[in-house]
Amino acid sequence: MSEQFDPADLSRIIEMAWEDRTPFEAIEHLYGLREKDVIRLMRRELKPGSFRLWRKRVTGRNIKHRQLRPEGVSRGYCPTQYKHR
């Protein structure tokens, strides 16, 4: 799976998976990876401890799923996520 992505795309997928406000559907739309594929990729690319922390963080988090998001959440990222210099 990760063989099909260049290092920059792979890095971006991992970054998006860690972001609280980026739903799995956004990753699927951009990269064609469903949630189970992202989990598999994260398991392979992260250290075991980092993977466990990530799974604990995203499990049961309704904001990572577009359909389960609270009504007021309309953006895919936090305003401070992309800092301008």
Side-chain angles (χ1 to χ4, degrees):
M1 175 186 323
S2 60
E3 306 83 41
Q4 65 186 353
F5 298 108
D6 63 37
D9 285 338
L10 189 58
S11 177
R12 181 62 184 134
I13 293 167
I14 292 170
E15 180 182 12
M16 290 175 76
W18 270 103
E19 293 168 350
D20 289 338
R21 291 182 168 269
T22 303
F24 287 111
E25 291 88 352
I27 298 171
E28 183 175 7
H29 177 74
L30 290 173
Y31 295 101
L33 298 175
R34 293 176 298 175
E35 180 179 358
K36 68 179 187 174
D37 300 322
V38 173
I39 293 169
R40 198 174 302 127
L41 181 142
M42 296 293 275
R43 183 185 312 271
R44 189 177 47 253
E45 297 296 326
L46 299 178
K47 295 177 185 176
S50 296
F51 175 76
R52 283 191 298 275
L53 284 172
W54 175 75
R55 282 300 288 154
K56 185 176 181 180
R57 181 180 176 98
V58 299
T59 299
R61 212 171 251 253
N62 61 1
I63 206 159
K64 287 300 280 184
H65 299 276
R66 185 169 286 152
Q67 292 178 338
L68 301 176
R69 286 178 154 201
E71 194 173 310
V73 178
S74 60
R75 296 183 319 272
Y77 62 92
C78 172
T80 60
Q81 177 179 345
Y82 298 108
K83 297 179 177 43
H84 301 282
R85 295 176 191 213

